[in-house]
Amino acid sequence: MKKQVRIGLVGYQFMGKAHSHAYRSLPFFFDTEVEPVLAAICGRNETAVKEAANQMGFESYETDWRSLIERDDIDVIDIVTPNNTHAEIAIAAAKAGKHVLTEKPLAMSVEEAEEMHDAVVSNQVIHMICHNYRFVPALTYAKKLIEEGKLGQIYHFRANYLQDFIMSPEFPLIWRLKKDVAGSGALGDLAAHSIDLAHYLVDDLTEIQALTKTFIKERPVGEMSGGLSATRAGEERGSVTVDDAVAIIGTFANGAMATFEATRFAGGNRNRNQIEINGEYGSIRWNMEDMNKLELYLAADAEGMQGFRTIDVTEESHPYMDAYWAAGHMIGYEHTFIHLIHEFMQGIATGKQPEPNFFDGLKNQAVLAAVEQAAETGQRQVVELPEIKTKSSK
Amino acid sequence: MKKQVRIGLVGYQFMGKAHSHAYRSLPFFFDTEVEPVLAAICGRNETAVKEAANQMGFESYETDWRSLIERDDIDVIDIVTPNNTHAEIAIAAAKAGKHVLTEKPLAMSVEEAEEMHDAVVSNQVIHMICHNYRFVPALTYAKKLIEEGKLGQIYHFRANYLQDFIMSPEFPLIWRLKKDVAGSGALGDLAAHSIDLAHYLVDDLTEIQALTKTFIKERPVGEMSGGLSATRAGEERGSVTVDDAVAIIGTFANGAMATFEATRFAGGNRNRNQIEINGEYGSIRWNMEDMNKLELYLAADAEGMQGFRTIDVTEESHPYMDAYWAAGHMIGYEHTFIHLIHEFMQGIATGKQPEPNFFDGLKNQAVLAAVEQAAETGQRQVVELPEIKTKSSK
Amino acid sequence: MKKQVRIGLVGYQFMGKAHSHAYRSLPFFFDTEVEPVLAAICGRNETAVKEAANQMGFESYETDWRSLIERDDIDVIDIVTPNNTHAEIAIAAAKAGKHVLTEKPLAMSVEEAEEMHDAVVSNQVIHMICHNYRFVPALTYAKKLIEEGKLGQIYHFRANYLQDFIMSPEFPLIWRLKKDVAGSGALGDLAAHSIDLAHYLVDDLTEIQALTKTFIKERPVGEMSGGLSATRAGEERGSVTVDDAVAIIGTFANGAMATFEATRFAGGNRNRNQIEINGEYGSIRWNMEDMNKLELYLAADAEGMQGFRTIDVTEESHPYMDAYWAAGHMIGYEHTFIHLIHEFMQGIATGKQPEPNFFDGLKNQAVLAAVEQAAETGQRQVVELPEIKTKSSK
Amino acid sequence: MKKQVRIGLVGYQFMGKAHSHAYRSLPFFFDTEVEPVLAAICGRNETAVKEAANQMGFESYETDWRSLIERDDIDVIDIVTPNNTHAEIAIAAAKAGKHVLTEKPLAMSVEEAEEMHDAVVSNQVIHMICHNYRFVPALTYAKKLIEEGKLGQIYHFRANYLQDFIMSPEFPLIWRLKKDVAGSGALGDLAAHSIDLAHYLVDDLTEIQALTKTFIKERPVGEMSGGLSATRAGEERGSVTVDDAVAIIGTFANGAMATFEATRFAGGNRNRNQIEINGEYGSIRWNMEDMNKLELYLAADAEGMQGFRTIDVTEESHPYMDAYWAAGHMIGYEHTFIHLIHEFMQGIATGKQPEPNFFDGLKNQAVLAAVEQAAETGQRQVVELPEIKTKSSK
């Protein structure tokens, strides 16, 4: 019988569902060394959280995250609440000796992120940040190819993350559009993912220039109602205080060029998260809309026969894929969370700190801060990483 | 508290895993009226079936399907064993008053299929055949568009189902390559799915011409080892007694033309299951390799602006998709089974017979028989449907 | 100064324009050994042919093809008139010692095709049939790869040729829809091209089954008015006497399976001429809609890195492409004719008979006849090739 | 008989061939009001220019462009020489009363561009700059859709122009890699095209941030040898003095966001020139690699049926396409020049100044200058347009 790891989930909307599903599905597909148990879910609205507990299969529920953290029967605090609450909850959890998983972006500022990082490191808990796209098998495989030198020296990383769900001026002013709750808009919600992939696949970003736009400046007050839908509350209108779109150009430590664009105003693009990398010996292309495919170009292919290969990253030999069906049988969005949770549970089982963790979150936060500064000043910014007191054990 | 429906699963390989996963995941995503419980799994190899029960979360296991059927605590018999066993198990299950779900093709012959259909109808149990591709949301949506008349009169249905997993002459002689166990090769395994989609989306097939090929006639003896992999047993070699590939041309009751090709010798195509339909007012294209997309052409679009639209069938308004994440977030292969099981459970809850059921399986079997006859004789065959004593209640 | 070859073109519509353009453009791009001169164009309507001569740059015009053939200053007769006129003109031209190029299909029957072949062979003229798709660089390159054994033994050839220009029931009854002028419909117009590619890339077809459909049986009388447009003549209606669509399945001499579908009722497909070939070691895919690309799968690629490569067949090393711009710069439809005319002129310069020629046209005609017979009888037909008195000199 | 316009072409490499071909092909396809005649070609190497004259069909040749301009029988000076020669030739040509067409970028600096503009305006000649991509029918059609308001207010323009022909460190130091001859690298060669499309399709660019990279700083000395190939001269090496890649982010006068990336280091991308535009009511996507297609998204499409349409911009109703074959029949790269030359000739025939002309070239030059300044300083730059003494007559 495997050791059980009891999960306390704070938050129950879109990401709460994705995380819950991952914990539930993990044992079916993976022979992880420990077994997660959906111990408790936490939310302020008792009716809603009770229903969520029932629907998602949690043993219990709480309406105050402090009570959840106080419980002895909880091993993990998983935080999927709005961004302005991450720090307080994560730090309290770490101090209580709980392992912590947090949605991205890690925090509201580099200072907050630094405190969070200090807390998890000094309390020696396992910590992760939910940059789930690292766990698309096609990208895990891309990482392997890059590490093996298949692309050689990297020259270019370009990323687009395009959505369109708030294009209507009548789409309500949800928390994601308020700076005091979300920190930023497309930047922290979408570009943060692309930045994490850049760090994962290429190198640290060192210099940044940026531009942000807010196309619709006022919207009816309202709130999320599941997925990326929302309901307006009445006639009242309020100000959008975050960016609708952000463009970033920059340089990596290794000299490569980076370009990023993230927007919620790209009509027809429901969730187009795509990257390209060009290196000395080859290139890759990937798009979340067709997430199981990896396009790979190898300059070493014979003359006349060169071209991007479209690889179905569904072979048994591909990362994570031996857990599933058969070559050519596609998996979906939710599996990125299963793979991340697998690594998180393995980290808890072995004591070996997985990635991406709060250190990665902190680096990401430093880039987000540089982007905001660069967008405001119109000047190139150096990405300043705070001195880390204790580097995460690995 | 929902009524529980206790599942007894016979077989535990590729399809056993897909079905088990579907039962487990159903309550998380759908508010189905009853709740399936993984009561027992059955297989002849006790060590293997015990391990499968543990891994997939079954309460118990059996090594003889007859014992499983005798159990009072089992409501459903789900059959995922090789094709030559479907009839005996399904008929016994129906006689015992169990609801029945069977993998496709339904049977080894039209006669067997007819007996199976008689058994489920006369015993008034709910029955389904696992043509899971009807439950790809993009195809369920295509069906809706066709029923609404968006394509007008249908002129063409063309389907390819291309795989490549047995192309190596050293790939072992698994059960799928033996006529006495599988009934046929690419025909029953792959083309049967395409034929079901033709029946679902267009009309009944009435006349058929066909051609089959067996490219590799002898292989080393061996067996499946998960997914679509296999292990050879030794030096012994045996004869391949099924088709490696089949091509079919035919006519629908409504006068439309049908073309089908199914093969396991199309290198580079791991699992390319694709269809196209051309009608008076529009066309659709779909490919399982990119299963969430539906391409739609509407002749009524303004001049100069006509073209196939690529629809992400991931909106809340699309079939089944309000159960999941958000527009633009892809689902994978396994969800086709979840949706089918949802309909099966709803059928059990309401007593309303879902589709595709044994009647659809019987019609499919009649086409398979006509194809084999046509391929052998080189002559056009009429698809002869046996007189059905009792039409399934709907 | 290069030797001039004086061209007499019979016909001036769609194909007349494509051929004229090719003769004109040839010297600009290719260092062909002889230089074609647009000597005369011939059509029955003097006003129209005069205007065509002026627009396309012919030195003179004729209104009777017999007069054209009698002229001493004409070296080549190029026939782009409706199919029922090919034989008479080509035979007369050959007897007059003119080299002959004919549009496809070669003739109205195998007998006619045989007489035509006899005429060109016994009169020792250079002859070609205008199966221009062989000269798409991507397909010429595919031929090279196949001949080098890159695909190994061929298992499958599948072709679709899909158009939609006559889908409206009010589209007029043009000559292409009349059996006595066109011979057949989608079969001779579209499938004939696919059959030629099958012969070119794989092997001779030996056995055939087929199905034809005519969806719209009556149309208003009218005629072509350029490209694939048409104008109706009045209120009168007439019968469509050719197939709107044809499906063919068959076997090659080497044992491979062939599937073909050609139709003018595939809405949204303006001119989708596509083929796929699957062999022992690899596969290719090609589509005229994106004619400069060749998709190539090689089973020998490293595990995990296998996938179809999309090759831009625009490198200097690719067939014909060193005549043009630079890698990545696309060429269009018209260049297929330039390349064919280049081979034709080289044949005239060197006396070496190019391909595809009347022998290829005759073989194609034998397949068309077998298809018609098979469609009528519903029985598998052997493709019967008439005994050739004199094999074309090569 | 049409009035003849006698062309004097200065330069005979890649672009010389493309321009010559366009003049030759124009009368075959378009009923332009005047007829261009290839009067003379000019180059310093007499042997090479004589051969070019012969191959491309020029009546005569010159070895000094000054002599060409002095000739009375020349109406047009077409300049396809390296960038550092444009100004001197164009100004001399204008002063001699010749109409002028110049390759892009217009000049080496804003000052030069301004002088050129003054010269053509004050001498009242017709002038164009060869931003040929405006004349891809898909983009001319996109312009029409945008002008009709189909996309509503524009939010985003994003462009990539990716090549890979100089990736090898042994690729020679051709003129395009020297600042004193080319002015800049990927910026003036590739991004200039994207900037022109931005100006054409969206609005003027007003503010710019930029980043440039030179990945290979030293190369063997050598020169172009046709197309994008080159030959090295010996063992000598020299410094690359231009950018290998450039990234630009900026703002349009109408508030939209612009992102550009141009590079010669994107392996596998031979010539990927692509743009996307997102507006209030719809989006478009286009890629020169598949130049006849336009992807169009319209938010007004019915719920559930929304998606990018892939339009074959090959219908008779599409810009320029009635001159060609039939719907679905693709045209290639060279036709962009034919269409541009058609507009140039029409401008000469009617006296109405076509676009893009030297004024567009001047605006483009101002953006290029701002990009270089922004890249150097790391600061946001305002695009400063010099005061135009005389606006081009339209």
Side-chain angles (χ1 to χ4, degrees), chain B residues 139-307:
Chain B
L139 291 183
T140 315
Y141 184 59
K143 170 72 170 174
K144 179 172 173 287
L145 294 175
I146 291 167
E147 286 194 336
E148 288 170 2
K150 291 285 194 302
L151 306 195
Q153 182 190 339
I154 304 298
Y155 294 129
H156 287 285
F157 175 91
R158 74 185 60 85
N160 285 329
Y161 200 143
L162 311 181
Q163 294 189 338
D164 65 356
F165 75 108
I166 65 168
M167 283 189 74
S168 164
E170 295 310 305
F171 187 92
L173 188 66
I174 56 173
W175 70 263
R176 291 181 190 271
L177 303 180
K178 297 177 191 168
K179 188 168 182 57
D180 58 348
V181 186
S184 63
L187 173 59
D189 191 23
L190 307 181
H193 275 307
S194 305
I195 291 163
D196 181 67
L197 290 177
H199 284 167
Y200 176 54
L201 294 168
V202 184
D203 203 343
D204 286 353
L205 286 158
T206 54
E207 283 192 336
I208 285 296
Q209 294 173 78
L211 177 67
T212 55
K213 297 279 175 195
T214 303
F215 298 113
I216 306 283
K217 302 205 158 44
E218 229 183 45
R219 293 176 175 277
V221 169
E223 56 185 24
M224 298 302 291
S225 59
L228 295 175
S229 312
T231 320
R232 59 189 293 176
E235 292 309 304
E236 198 189 345
R237 301 183 82 84
S239 291
V240 175
T241 47
V242 300
D243 56 291
D244 286 337
V246 60
I248 309 167
I249 54 182
T251 299
F252 289 98
N254 68 358
M257 176 183 278
T259 62
F260 300 91
E261 186 174 355
T263 180
R264 291 159 170 166
F265 276 71
N269 297 282
R270 301 299 189 241
N271 193 42
R272 184 168 135 217
N273 174 8
Q274 66 174 51
I275 64 162
E276 295 186 12
I277 301 180
N278 305 121
E280 190 180 5
Y281 307 136
S283 294
I284 64 160
R285 302 198 288 219
W286 171 85
N287 187 338
M288 186 64 193
E289 288 182 338
D290 204 1
M291 63 177 271
N292 298 277
K293 302 286 201 311
L294 183 70
E295 291 184 89
L296 172 67
Y297 173 82
L298 294 175
D301 281 344
E303 189 184 6
M305 298 170 72
Q306 298 177 332

Side-chain angles (χ1 to χ4, degrees), chain C residues 27 39 44 106 140 176 196 206 265 279 293 377:
Chain C
R44 282 172 301 185
L106 189 59
T140 315
R176 290 179 189 274
D196 181 68
T206 54
F265 275 72
K293 304 286 202 311
T377 62

Side-chain angles (χ1 to χ4, degrees), chain A residues 137-154 200-202 279-282 284 294 296 298 309 311 317-319, chain C residues 302-306:
Chain A
L139 291 183
T140 315
Y141 185 58
K143 169 74 170 173
K144 180 172 173 286
L145 295 175
I146 291 167
E147 286 194 336
E148 289 170 3
K150 291 285 195 301
L151 305 195
Q153 181 191 339
I154 303 299
Y200 176 54
L201 295 168
V202 184
E280 190 181 3
Y281 306 136
I284 64 160
L294 183 70
L296 173 67
L298 295 174
R309 303 171 186 192
I311 303 169
S317 70
H318 288 132
Chain C
E303 189 183 7
M305 298 170 74
Q306 297 176 333

Side-chain angles (χ1 to χ4, degrees), chain A residues 317-332:
Chain A
S317 70
H318 288 132
Y320 301 111
M321 291 308 296
D322 61 346
Y324 299 112
W325 312 110
H329 291 70
M330 303 299 158
I331 59 169

Side-chain angles (χ1 to χ4, degrees), chain A residues 104-367:
Chain A
K104 38 55 58 182
L106 190 58
M108 297 292 280
S109 67
V110 176
E111 293 65 34
E112 258 193 22
E114 201 178 358
E115 286 172 37
M116 292 167 78
H117 182 256
D118 284 351
V120 292
V121 172
S122 59
N123 288 286
Q124 292 179 298
V125 298
I126 296 293
H127 47 100
M128 283 191 87
I129 181 166
C130 196
H131 281 300
N132 57 305
Y133 295 106
R134 289 195 186 197
F135 300 97
V136 174
L139 291 183
T140 315
Y141 185 58
K143 169 74 170 173
K144 180 172 173 286
L145 295 175
I146 291 167
E147 286 194 336
E148 289 170 3
K150 291 285 195 301
L151 305 195
Q153 181 191 339
I154 303 299
Y155 295 128
H156 286 285
F157 176 90
R158 73 184 61 85
N160 284 329
Y161 201 142
L162 311 181
Q163 294 189 340
D164 66 356
F165 75 109
I166 65 165
M167 284 189 74
S168 163
E170 296 309 305
F171 187 92
L173 187 66
I174 56 172
W175 71 264
R176 290 180 190 272
L177 303 181
K178 297 176 191 168
K179 189 170 181 55
D180 58 348
V181 186
S184 63
L187 173 60
D189 191 23
L190 308 182
H193 275 308
S194 305
I195 291 163
D196 182 66
L197 290 177
H199 285 168
Y200 176 54
L201 295 168
V202 184
D203 203 344
D204 287 352
L205 286 158
T206 54
E207 283 192 335
I208 285 297
Q209 293 173 79
L211 178 67
T212 55
K213 297 279 176 194
T214 303
F215 298 114
I216 307 283
K217 302 204 158 44
E218 228 183 47
R219 293 176 176 278
V221 169
E223 56 184 23
M224 298 301 292
S225 58
L228 293 174
S229 312
T231 319
R232 60 190 291 176
E235 293 308 305
E236 199 190 344
R237 301 182 83 85
S239 291
V240 175
T241 46
V242 300
D243 55 290
D244 285 336
V246 60
I248 308 167
I249 55 182
T251 299
F252 289 97
N254 69 358
M257 176 184 276
T259 64
F260 300 90
E261 187 176 355
T263 180
R264 292 159 169 166
F265 276 72
N269 297 282
R270 300 300 190 240
N271 192 44
R272 184 169 135 216
N273 174 7
Q274 67 174 49
I275 64 163
E276 296 188 10
I277 301 179
N278 306 120
E280 190 181 3
Y281 306 136
S283 294
I284 64 160
R285 300 197 290 219
W286 171 85
N287 186 338
M288 186 66 194
E289 289 182 337
D290 205 1
M291 64 177 268
N292 297 277
K293 303 286 201 311
L294 183 70
E295 291 185 88
L296 173 67
Y297 172 83
L298 295 174
D301 280 344
E303 189 183 7
M305 299 169 73
Q306 298 176 331
F308 277 91
R309 303 171 186 192
T310 302
I311 303 169
D312 271 13
V313 185
T314 58
E315 311 278 332
E316 282 183 33
S317 70
H318 288 132
Y320 301 111
M321 291 308 296
D322 61 346
Y324 299 112
W325 312 110
H329 291 70
M330 303 299 158
I331 59 169
Y333 169 71
E334 68 218 44
H335 288 269
T336 59
F337 295 93
I338 299 177
H339 304 161
L340 183 147
I341 295 292
H342 170 66
E343 302 300 338
F344 188 39
M345 291 297 114
Q346 285 295 99
I348 289 169
T350 62
K352 192 163 171 300
Q353 178 54 47
E355 295 181 343
N357 53 46
F358 280 24
F359 181 63
D360 301 288
L362 173 54
K363 287 202 301 186
N364 203 301
Q365 203 77 43
V367 176

Side-chain angles (χ1 to χ4, degrees), chain C residues 22-298:
Chain C
Y23 289 114
R24 284 173 59 109
S25 295
L26 181 63
F28 188 81
F29 292 117
F30 290 89
D31 192 19
T32 313
E33 295 176 43
V34 294
E35 185 185 332
V37 175
L38 295 180
I41 187 167
C42 177
R44 282 172 301 185
N45 179 326
E46 184 164 1
T47 313
V49 76
K50 196 171 169 179
E51 190 189 314
N54 189 47
Q55 168 75 11
M56 300 183 194
F58 281 85
E59 293 176 1
S60 65
Y61 67 88
E62 298 286 344
T63 56
D64 182 343
W65 60 263
R66 287 172 193 84
S67 313
L68 182 70
I69 289 178
E70 279 168 15
R71 278 171 56 168
D72 284 346
D73 69 330
I74 299 293
D75 302 309
V76 164
I77 297 294
D78 182 345
I79 306 165
V80 297
T81 46
N83 307 340
N84 62 338
T85 63
H86 293 180
E88 190 180 8
I89 304 173
I91 293 168
K95 285 184 177 163
K98 314 296 191 193
H99 306 298
V100 193
L101 170 62
T102 307
E103 262 304 321
K104 37 54 59 182
L106 189 59
M108 298 290 282
S109 67
V110 176
E111 292 66 33
E112 257 193 23
E114 202 177 357
E115 285 172 38
M116 291 167 78
H117 182 257
D118 283 352
V120 291
V121 171
S122 58
N123 287 286
Q124 291 180 297
V125 297
I126 296 295
H127 47 100
M128 284 191 86
I129 181 167
C130 196
H131 281 300
N132 57 304
Y133 295 107
R134 290 193 184 198
F135 300 97
V136 174
L139 291 182
T140 315
Y141 185 59
K143 169 73 171 174
K144 180 173 174 285
L145 294 175
I146 291 167
E147 286 194 336
E148 289 170 2
K150 292 285 194 303
L151 306 194
Q153 182 190 340
I154 304 299
Y155 295 129
H156 287 286
F157 176 90
R158 74 185 61 84
N160 284 330
Y161 201 143
L162 311 181
Q163 294 188 340
D164 66 357
F165 75 108
I166 65 166
M167 285 188 73
S168 163
E170 295 309 305
F171 187 92
L173 187 66
I174 55 173
W175 70 264
R176 290 179 189 274
L177 303 179
K178 297 177 190 168
K179 190 170 180 55
D180 58 348
V181 186
S184 63
L187 173 58
D189 191 25
L190 307 181
H193 275 307
S194 305
I195 291 163
D196 181 68
L197 289 177
H199 284 167
Y200 176 55
L201 294 168
V202 184
D203 202 344
D204 286 353
L205 287 158
T206 54
E207 283 192 336
I208 285 297
Q209 295 173 78
L211 177 66
T212 55
K213 297 279 177 197
T214 303
F215 298 114
I216 307 283
K217 301 202 160 48
E218 228 183 49
R219 292 178 177 275
V221 169
E223 56 183 25
M224 299 300 292
S225 59
L228 294 174
S229 312
T231 319
R232 60 189 293 175
E235 291 309 304
E236 200 190 342
R237 300 183 83 83
S239 291
V240 175
T241 47
V242 299
D243 56 291
D244 286 336
V246 60
I248 308 167
I249 55 183
T251 299
F252 288 96
N254 69 357
M257 175 182 278
T259 63
F260 299 91
E261 186 175 355
T263 179
R264 291 159 169 166
F265 275 72
N269 297 282
R270 301 297 189 244
N271 193 43
R272 184 168 135 217
N273 173 8
Q274 66 174 51
I275 65 163
E276 296 187 10
I277 300 179
N278 307 121
E280 191 180 5
Y281 306 135
S283 295
I284 64 159
R285 301 198 287 221
W286 172 84
N287 186 339
M288 186 65 194
E289 289 181 337
D290 205 0
M291 63 177 269
N292 297 278
K293 304 286 202 311
L294 183 70
E295 291 184 87
L296 172 68
Y297 173 83
L298 295 174

